Amino acid sequence: MEIPNLTPAASERRKQERRTLRANAALRLSGATPVVVRTLDLSVGGMGVVAAINPPAGSRCTIGIASPAQPRGAIAVEIDAVVVHSIFSSRESGFKIGLQFGDLTQSAADAINRYLGS
């Protein structure tokens, strides 16, 4: 029996380094009430979260996070994003959602880069 190649296509591979980020955030889908989610990881291009909802791929949303404490304290940022994938994870007790960021504001990019150590 032949096993198919399980390596993701080049277009599906992460393009930036991600770093673990465990915190609560607020995910707001277009026209909906914000939902509290748990963050998994973060990069300058996107983040992974776990939620009780299963948004369809391609959904536009906003993610509100407080960047971890820095020399000047935590900075709250809201970032426009698109849902890339959402799949149920029994291990995480919710839907693992991959978000791809839209255009970052300078303050959001600075906060993420400080957290990533870039």
Side-chain angles (χ1 to χ4, degrees), residues 42-112:
L42 174 71
S43 78
V44 293
M47 71 185 315
V49 300
V50 174
I53 61 170
N54 183 17
S59 299
R60 296 201 175 279
C61 61
T62 302
I63 185 81
I65 59 173
S67 67
Q70 305 167 32
R72 291 178 273 155
I75 299 172
V77 294
E78 269 201 3
I79 303 169
D80 291 330
V82 174
V83 174
V84 177
H85 68 269
S86 178
I87 186 164
F88 184 76
S89 168
S90 57
R91 179 177 171 207
E92 296 291 346
S93 299
F95 291 91
K96 286 178 74 171
I97 302 169
L99 301 174
Q100 181 176 13
F101 295 150
D103 292 331
L104 292 174
T105 63
Q106 190 61 51
S107 62
D110 290 346
I112 291 169

Side-chain angles (χ1 to χ4, degrees), residues 3 8 11 17 19 24 27-28 34 43 45-46 48 54 60-61 73-74 88 91 114:
I3 299 175
S11 63
E17 177 185 347
R19 184 171 171 198
N24 287 330
L27 179 69
R28 185 177 58 236
S43 78
N54 183 17
R60 296 201 175 279
C61 61
F88 184 76
R91 179 177 171 207
R114 276 192 297 275

